[in-house]
Amino acid sequence: MEGADRYRVVRWVRWWWLRRHTVVDLAIAVVAWPPSLGLAVTAFGGGLPVTLLLSVPLVTGLSVAAYFRRSHPVVFFAVAMLAAVTTANVPAVMFALYTYPAWRPDRATLAVLTAVAGIAAVSVDAWYVANTPAALVIRLVMFVLSPVLLGLWIGTRRQLVDNLRERAERLEREQHLQAERAIVSERTRIAREMHDVVAHRVSLMVLHAGGLEVSAPDGRTAETAALIRTTGREALTELRHILGVLRADADGPPLAPQPTIADVARLVEASRQAGVDVAYEVRGEPGAAADAVERTAYRVVQEGLTNAAKHAPGAAVRVTVAYRAGAVAVTVANGPPGPRTAPPLPSGGHGLVGLRERAALIGGALSAGPEPGGAGWRLTAELPLNLPEHDSEG
């Protein structure tokens, strides 16, 4: 089948599916009109003009009511009862008794309609036929209870299918929401790791290039170092824009091995090689800490060293990891900056925000502010060593 033919078939199927009830009801109204007119003509008898004058409006009204039977089932039942009483059109009443429970959940109204149809059937049977009680019961079952039970079954099945469809759609929406939350969490994790790792490394590279530019033995080396420093600064600026796009207000689980407190010494040594005067001290007896605490402590030192290099170039920096009973305090303090030989490095402003979120999630606290007297800056994190299982990032 060609693409155009397939498209036409799909359009036709969609058109039919959206209008199937209207088409079916219109077909019922048109097909039922001739036999209903035949029953009316037979019932009224008499002259043809008078018979048609009585039959055509009644039958036409019955067909119109049948077309609107889903939206106005009570009206359809009333017109069908009138046709049954005047023209013995019992099938119309049976169809009306089927329609109401198939499309309406109101069981009280259904009971009233069933009772009215039953009383009418009993009255007509007693007046015209005078059948035995057994025959009367059979007629009630066939012409009243059977269409009602069929309508109840169809209506219950339709409600069940609708409920299942609604539940499936709700589950699908929930799956989409969970997938979106997972994407946001992963983007946030990537943004934080990029800030913690890539931005820190690029900052050190820029510092190395700045130092080489100042102490270069020849002009070509200085020019190359300046180019590296400028390129690194541009990369940091672009990285800040990327982090602004990726960052969200949620946190996701890390998907790769993360550094710990044991890696702080290596971090300090890398800063020393970049020309930063860093003193590192460990106080107290190191104790076993939760993975989340290890990672957060490392990130605090990393952020503190990066901020010192950015905002206080040439300042002496002190890194202290102090173990106490059930807790560890991580402090990064720097003195006043020295003379600035290069423009300040770009900053995204999310580092401390992310660290506060990390510390709060594991039950710790983060403080940052100037040293007493304003001579320098101090970043301190107070973190518990042991965490409840549900609070751990690992």
Side-chain angles (χ1 to χ4, degrees), residues 17-44:
W17 183 255
L18 294 177
R19 297 167 176 81
R20 64 191 188 281
H21 296 318
T22 302
V23 174
V24 169
D25 290 341
L26 180 61
I28 291 174
V30 172
V31 171
W33 195 87
S36 298
L37 181 62
L39 288 174
V41 170
T42 302
F44 288 127

Side-chain angles (χ1 to χ4, degrees), residues 53-371:
L53 183 63
L54 296 175
S55 301
V56 171
L58 177 63
V59 173
T60 302
L62 181 62
S63 295
V64 172
Y67 177 76
F68 293 101
R69 66 187 182 91
R70 302 176 198 268
S71 58
H72 300 84
V74 176
V75 174
F76 177 45
F77 175 81
V79 177
M81 283 294 300
L82 177 62
V85 172
T86 56
T87 66
N89 195 343
V90 177
V93 177
M94 296 175 62
F95 193 50
L97 289 175
Y98 156 82
T99 296
Y100 191 88
W103 292 94
R104 289 290 187 273
D106 186 4
R107 298 296 180 253
T109 303
L110 175 62
V112 173
L113 299 183
T114 305
V116 170
I119 293 173
V122 171
S123 301
V124 171
D125 190 90
W127 184 266
Y128 293 103
V129 183
N131 279 323
T132 63
L136 178 59
V137 171
I138 293 175
R139 290 168 64 86
L140 287 175
V141 171
M142 289 180 59
F143 300 120
V144 178
L145 295 182
S146 294
V148 170
L149 293 177
L150 180 60
L152 287 172
W153 180 76
I154 295 295
T156 303
R157 181 179 177 275
R158 179 179 293 108
Q159 292 176 6
L160 178 61
V161 171
D162 291 341
N163 292 336
L164 291 176
R165 183 182 296 109
E166 181 182 359
R167 181 180 179 183
E169 293 175 353
R170 184 173 65 252
L171 291 176
E172 185 177 1
R173 289 193 299 269
E174 291 176 356
Q175 289 179 353
H176 285 309
L177 291 176
Q178 291 176 0
E180 291 176 359
R181 284 195 292 266
I183 292 173
V184 170
S185 298
E186 180 62 10
R187 290 174 59 181
T188 303
R189 187 191 69 83
I190 293 173
R192 288 182 175 174
E193 295 306 319
M194 288 178 65
H195 176 274
D196 293 341
V197 179
V198 180
H200 176 73
R201 299 298 183 187
V202 175
S203 298
L204 292 180
M205 180 191 71
V206 173
L207 291 175
H208 276 296
L212 179 60
E213 181 183 4
V214 173
S215 60
D218 56 83
R220 183 174 179 81
T221 303
E223 182 180 352
T224 303
L227 178 61
I228 295 174
R229 179 176 58 81
T230 302
T231 304
R233 287 172 48 79
E234 293 175 354
L236 278 177
T237 301
E238 293 178 359
L239 180 61
R240 303 301 176 189
H241 291 302
I242 294 174
L243 295 181
V245 174
L246 291 177
R247 183 172 176 82
D249 293 331
D251 197 6
L255 302 180
Q258 300 294 303
T260 62
I261 297 179
D263 298 308
V264 170
R266 177 174 53 83
L267 188 64
V268 170
E269 184 61 28
S271 295
R272 287 171 179 165
Q273 293 177 3
V276 182
D277 181 12
V278 186
Y280 178 44
E281 181 183 5
V282 179
R283 300 175 184 173
E285 186 67 24
D291 293 342
V293 177
E294 296 268 355
R295 290 193 290 272
T296 303
Y298 179 91
R299 298 306 183 195
V300 170
V301 176
Q302 188 179 56
E303 181 69 18
L305 292 176
T306 302
N307 288 340
K310 289 180 183 177
H311 307 297
V317 183
R318 302 185 312 276
V319 178
T320 305
V321 178
Y323 289 92
R324 298 191 296 269
V328 60
V330 181
T331 303
V332 181
N334 61 268
R340 186 178 295 275
T341 59
L345 296 175
S347 175
H350 296 312
L352 293 180
V353 174
L355 286 179
R356 283 195 176 91
E357 293 176 357
R358 286 177 179 266
L361 284 174
I362 61 176
L366 183 79
S367 61
E371 291 273 33

